Amino acid sequence: MSEAPLLDIRDIRTVFRTSAGEVPAVDGVSLSVAPGRTLGIVGESGCGKSVLSLSVMRLVPRPGRIASGQVLFQGRDLLALPEGEMRSVRGGAIGMIFQEPMTSLNPVHPVGWQIEEAVLAHRDVSRADARGIAIEALRRVRIPAPERRVEEYPHQLSGGMRQRVMIAMALACQPKLLIADEPTTALDVTIQAQILDLLRALQAETGMAIVLITHDLGVVAEMADEVAVMYAGKVVERGPAAAVFGDAQHPYTLGLFGSIPRLDDESDRLLAIEGTVPPPFNLPAGCRFNPRCAFADARCRETLPPLAPVGPNHIAACLRAPVEAIAA
Amino acid sequence: MLQHIVRRLLTAVPVMFGVLLIGFVLLQVVPTDPATVRAGPMATPDVIEAIRRDLGLDRPLWEQFLRYLWRLAQGDLGVSIINNVPVAQELGATIGPTLELMLASLVWSIPLGLLLGTVAAYWRGSLFDRAVMAFAVAGVSIPVFFVGLVLIWYVGFKWQLLPFTGRGGPIWTIEGLRAIALPALTLGGVFVGPIARMTRTAVLDVLSADHVRTARAKGLAERLVVLRHALRNALIPVVTLIGLQIGFLLGGAVVTETIFSWPGVGRLAVGAILSSDFPMAQGTIIVLSLGFIVINLIVDILYAVLDPRVRAS
Ligand SMILES: Nc1ncnc2c1ncn2[C@@H]1O[C@H](COP(=O)(O)OP(=O)(O)OP(=O)(O)O)[C@@H](O)[C@H]1O
Ligand code: SF4
Ligand SMILES: [Mg+2]
């Protein structure tokens, strides 16, 4: 954390307009990633991971909007950039890949063309050069016979191949940061491992930073240097991967670990969490986790806990942290 | 791709046969007797009987149909009962103007409909969107002949801006263009609304698709996102829907030709039916049905051109 962060998200709040007024999907999140490092963001479905990543790209769909906060990227606040400059950041300095490789590519254009389009949007090169760059990009993501593949349409490729194409597209302009929103969730386990290996190898080659969003703790454990755990639009625990994994302090984080099925150790199941993430239009008072929290007491139903240090570079938002004292 | 076209052509054959059969049967059940019409009001029953034999109308129906097919195969569509002109010759002279009218109508109404629909979808809920939709609903509910009559009354008759009867000459001449303006405005006008509405729905659908988000995430300008990734994909359902409107287009052409005295197949058909000109009516029905089949084929091919997934299967 000594190095100046590449991406520094400060107190960002993204709201959706609904019949019940504006509700926060992301509520005061602060995170940062250093160059060349990987930040893992974990949390259950609906906790605001995708909305957060789209907020960084300023691609929050209507009726959503970023209500406040800053997204400092290389020291510049992306939220304050004119749209034209923001466009050159998207796909230029920041690449992004999505969960759904089946639908994230346009079915009516050849995959090579779709990569070329990204290249031409950012670099002053000829069509022929763009084609060369696209082939090179496909080769980099280990797609065999890229000269032929560029002509193919997405429906001719498997899910894993399509996700490789997405990665090739996101990396075609050599971004400093890659945001990967559940890049492997839709893929089967073998392919998933291949894609993660690929991302790691590409990170080593290019020195890019990665924000890896997932609800799979195994993936975070394997990839991340830093981990942030999100719950109901907020970061509830954050710290170096070793600290969060080895010394989780927030009951929700502990619950997530507990919900990894462990056949060998029955006791871990005790902490598995019941229920689901409350939707942004129906948040409980006090700690947002209190209806599901095994440690909740009266205070938790009134006070929203702030993030507070629980170890070196390690923070958690729990009124009763450190919890191992209670859990033990 | 070629395979796709050939397969389509083959499926058109039985359809065409059915059309011929229906056209034939339809004119059998019309209560007018072509022999009587041809003989004129003063003819004696003997003369009528002779003409009937002459035309082969005394033969059994199936034989008449087979003979009819045989003659068709030789390009002989018979002779007009009214003026003895060969049907094929009349059709040959009227197909050109009809194609001309359809082209002149679609060449502006399809692009305009696509543009209005796309812009309306992009700014959904805006004043522009609501105006386009109101216009589209009006376009669907106002019949072709009404639009035509209003244009004739104001632009043609009251203000004397443009001619409103007949064809003024080849389309590349000033007179030709002036003469086709009102008919093309009429026939095309009724399509702008429906196309705009279909486009709006399709574009709205595509705009929320994942691949549009990808297009934005790679830093494309909005104009390109909309053109290449929203409208381009929306064309697939829009073309399908336009294909379903072919009957409407042909019907509209018949009405438009009739009210503007446009010398096309549609007007010929109406005239032939009104005057019980049996062979001529049959000929026009064949041509209009053929037109239907050909346009369908074009739509099918277009569909395959637009959608690589269709091409592959
Ligand atoms: N278009 C939208 N309109 C209204 N609310 C939305 C919209 N998109 C997201 N939300 C709200 O934002 C919350 C967070 O959604 P988000 O997609 O960020 O969750 P996520 O953590 O990415 O979940 P998942 O693991 O399922 O991808 C959701 O609970 C949802 O209610
Ligand atoms: S603040 Fe209370 S309810 Fe919230 S996580 Fe801590 S113990 Fe549970
Ligand atoms: Mg998500």
Side-chain angles (χ1 to χ4, degrees):
Chain A
M1 285 295 232
S2 54
E3 209 172 343
L6 175 70
L7 176 73
D8 190 4
I9 301 170
R10 291 191 182 167
D11 201 21
I12 196 160
R13 195 176 136 86
T14 302
V15 297
F16 281 91
R17 195 157 20 81
T18 68
S19 50
E22 290 199 322
V23 299
V26 169
D27 195 4
V29 167
S30 298
L31 289 171
S32 63
V33 202
R37 309 275 286 175
T38 298
L39 168 70
I41 302 181
V42 270
E44 287 164 289
S45 191
C47 68
K49 306 182 297 289
S50 295
V51 173
L52 174 65
S53 59
L54 291 171
S55 300
V56 172
M57 294 292 262
R58 273 174 49 186
L59 287 175
V60 179
R62 289 200 295 183
R65 76 185 172 88
I66 303 168
S68 60
Q70 284 181 314
V71 177
L72 300 179
F73 180 73
Q74 298 179 309
R76 285 193 306 175
D77 184 6
L78 297 185
L79 301 187
L81 287 186
E83 178 59 25
E85 275 178 56
M86 186 59 212
R87 208 178 292 138
S88 67
V89 173
R90 290 186 202 118
I94 307 182
M96 184 158 184
I97 56 179
F98 301 97
Q99 176 174 348
E100 307 81 8
M102 301 320 246
T103 52
S104 291
L105 291 164
N106 189 331
V108 307
H109 299 297
V111 295
W113 186 94
Q114 297 187 51
I115 300 174
E116 286 161 40
E117 195 183 31
V119 173
L120 290 168
H122 297 284
R123 293 212 234 159
D124 193 13
V125 294
S126 68
R127 274 232 151 238
D129 289 345
R131 163 61 51 114
I133 294 170
I135 292 173
E136 213 31 62
L138 288 178
R139 199 187 313 281
R140 261 215 319 223
V141 296
R142 324 316 192 230
I143 287 184
E147 302 82 2
R148 267 190 297 118
R149 290 289 182 179
V150 283
E151 308 284 356
E152 287 182 3
Y153 290 91
H155 73 266
Q156 295 169 290
L157 304 176
S158 66
M161 279 296 162
R162 285 187 225 192
Q163 197 59 295
R164 282 171 197 260
V165 170
M166 279 298 290
I167 297 171
M169 188 180 337
L171 300 190
C173 296
Q174 282 139 17
K176 296 268 176 299
L177 172 69
L178 176 70
I179 301 178
D181 187 357
E182 315 230 14
T184 58
T185 308
L187 305 172
D188 69 50
V189 182
T190 354
I191 308 295
Q192 194 168 337
Q194 288 172 7
I195 296 288
L196 292 177
D197 283 344
L198 175 67
L199 283 177
R200 237 190 327 245
L202 291 170
Q203 182 174 37
E205 282 169 34
T206 63
M208 66 183 174
I210 298 180
V211 171
L212 181 71
I213 294 168
T214 177
H215 55 244
D216 185 338
L217 283 169
V219 171
V220 194
E222 200 178 323
M223 302 282 293
D225 302 306
E226 313 272 322
V227 177
V229 181
M230 278 185 77
Y231 187 79
K234 282 189 160 305
V235 171
V236 294
E237 180 157 9
R238 202 181 90 198
V244 174
F245 277 89
D247 186 24
Q249 289 301 319
H250 195 280
Y252 179 62
T253 314
L254 289 167
L256 284 180
F257 292 155
S259 50
I260 301 176
R262 284 218 200 117
L263 299 173
D264 55 343
D265 188 353
E266 206 45 43
S267 64
D268 271 0
R269 301 290 306 174
L270 289 176
L271 286 168
I273 13 179
E274 308 266 308
T276 53
V277 183
F281 52 85
N282 192 19
L283 296 171
C287 174
R288 288 180 184 172
F289 186 55
N290 84 68
R292 300 169 74 190
C293 182
F295 308 105
D297 61 15
R299 218 157 39 113
C300 302
R301 282 181 274 278
E302 283 153 23
T303 316
L304 184 62
L307 279 165
V310 289
N313 290 324
H314 186 178
I315 52 179
C318 175
L319 297 169
R320 306 194 62 190
V323 288
E324 68 263 29
I326 335 167
Chain B
M1 186 76 187
L2 195 68
Q3 227 180 351
H4 183 78
I5 297 173
V6 170
R7 206 165 36 215
R8 282 299 167 189
L9 274 174
L10 287 179
T11 57
V13 171
V15 177
M16 196 62 219
F17 183 82
V19 164
L20 294 176
L21 186 63
I22 290 170
F24 183 79
V25 170
L26 214 59
L27 285 158
Q28 296 303 321
V29 299
V30 176
T32 352
D33 174 22
T36 320
V37 175
R38 181 150 218 198
M42 315 301 266
T44 62
D46 284 354
V47 175
I48 294 177
E49 202 46 48
I51 292 176
R52 186 183 301 281
R53 255 197 312 279
D54 203 37
L55 292 175
L57 295 174
D58 57 337
R59 317 299 302 173
L61 274 186
W62 63 267
E63 192 185 323
Q64 285 188 49
F65 183 59
L66 285 185
R67 280 179 186 226
Y68 180 69
L69 286 185
W70 177 240
R71 277 187 281 122
L72 268 188
Q74 294 165 311
D76 176 8
L77 290 161
V79 174
S80 163
I81 290 175
I82 303 296
N83 58 11
N84 266 323
V85 178
V87 171
Q89 186 187 322
E90 279 278 13
L91 287 174
T94 50
I95 284 177
T98 292
L99 288 178
E100 196 178 81
L101 175 62
M102 285 194 182
L103 220 65
S105 306
L106 297 180
V107 82
W108 68 273
S109 60
I110 290 181
L112 182 63
L114 290 177
L115 179 74
L116 291 179
T118 307
V119 175
Y122 194 78
W123 277 291
R124 63 191 165 285
S126 68
L127 203 62
F128 179 85
D129 178 25
R130 270 175 274 166
V132 169
M133 280 312 100
F135 170 75
V137 170
V140 172
S141 39
I142 296 173
V144 183
F145 75 87
F146 184 76
V147 177
L149 292 182
V150 167
L151 284 176
I152 289 180
W153 178 252
Y154 285 101
V155 185
F157 192 73
K158 262 190 130 165
W159 305 331
Q160 310 250 319
L161 294 175
L162 290 165
F164 56 89
T165 48
R167 187 164 168 268
I171 189 107
W172 52 89
T173 61
I174 295 289
E175 298 78 53
L177 276 177
R178 281 173 50 86
I180 206 169
L182 286 187
L185 215 56
T186 303
L187 183 53
V190 296
F191 280 101
V192 176
I195 291 174
R197 214 175 40 156
M198 295 185 269
T199 306
R200 178 182 180 273
T201 312
V203 170
L204 264 186
D205 220 40
V206 180
L207 273 177
S208 59
D210 290 336
H211 74 257
V212 169
R213 184 184 55 190
T214 306
R216 292 205 169 104
K218 63 181 156 183
L220 285 192
E222 275 305 286
R223 178 177 45 86
L224 296 180
V225 171
V226 171
L227 276 181
R228 293 175 180 172
H229 295 278
L231 179 58
R232 172 66 181 75
N233 294 55
L235 282 180
I236 297 168
V238 169
V239 162
T240 314
L241 286 167
I242 291 178
L244 294 174
Q245 308 274 323
I246 296 169
F248 186 44
L249 173 70
L250 289 172
V254 170
V255 174
T256 308
E257 288 182 3
T258 306
I259 57 178
F260 286 97
S261 310
W262 189 260
V265 181
R267 196 183 62 140
L268 188 66
V270 172
I273 290 167
L274 290 181
S275 61
S276 307
D277 191 344
F278 175 75
M280 188 65 83
Q282 226 170 17
T284 55
I285 286 173
I286 291 171
V287 168
L288 289 177
S289 314
L290 204 64
F292 192 91
I293 292 170
V294 168
I295 301 176
N296 242 317
L297 194 67
I298 294 174
V299 167
D300 258 348
I301 293 171
L302 212 59
Y303 193 59
V305 168
L306 288 172
D307 192 345
R309 288 160 299 185
V310 171
R311 240 176 290 159
S313 63

